[in-house]
């Protein structure tokens, strides 16, 4: 899975200063689903859709560092098998 995990999403959320409940509310998921993704409950990362990751990113990107933005973009492109052009 190309060096991507729920820990990356958790780190992104925390750097953005959001609780699991706040993020869940903003992206239309339950807090339990956010917990499952961040803790990589069986199948949670494997079933992640680009829409969920895009929503997570849209909420968090405004307040994270440039380094985090570049690193996250790279991880996502590899995870979803997109080419960085």
């Amino acid at each position: 899975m190309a060096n991507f995990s729920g820990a990356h999403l958790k780190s992104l959320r925390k750097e953005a200063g959001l609780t699991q409940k706040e993020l869940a509310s903003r992206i239309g998921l339950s807090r339990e689903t956010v917990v499952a993704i961040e803790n990589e409950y069986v199948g949670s990362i494997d079933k992640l859709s680009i829409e969920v990751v895009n929503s997570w990113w849209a909420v968090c990107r405004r307040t994270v560092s440039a380094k985090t933005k570049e690193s996250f973009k790279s991880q996502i492109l590899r995870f979803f098998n997109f080419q960085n052009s």
Side-chain angles (χ1 to χ4, degrees):
M1 228 44 73
N3 299 322
F4 183 73
S5 70
H8 291 108
L9 291 169
K10 182 177 186 174
S11 177
L12 181 66
R13 175 187 58 78
K14 286 185 159 203
E15 187 176 334
L18 298 168
T19 66
Q20 291 169 330
K21 184 177 179 179
E22 290 169 328
L23 177 70
S25 175
R26 290 185 187 187
I27 65 175
L29 296 175
S30 69
R31 187 188 75 74
E32 292 78 11
T33 299
V34 170
V35 169
I37 291 167
E38 289 184 352
N39 292 313
E40 298 181 27
Y41 292 163
V42 177
S44 64
I45 290 294
D46 295 338
K47 293 179 184 173
L48 265 181
S49 71
I50 190 126
E51 292 81 15
V52 168
V53 174
N54 188 49
S55 295
W56 197 302
W57 176 243
V59 169
C60 295
R61 73 175 174 224
R62 295 177 186 99
T63 55
V64 297
S65 70
K67 182 179 179 182
T68 297
K69 288 177 183 179
E70 187 57 38
S71 173
F72 192 76
K73 178 183 171 186
S74 227
Q75 292 165 6
I76 292 303
L77 290 173
R78 284 191 309 269
F79 180 73
F80 287 106
N81 294 315
F82 293 136
Q83 297 300 316
N84 193 1
S85 46

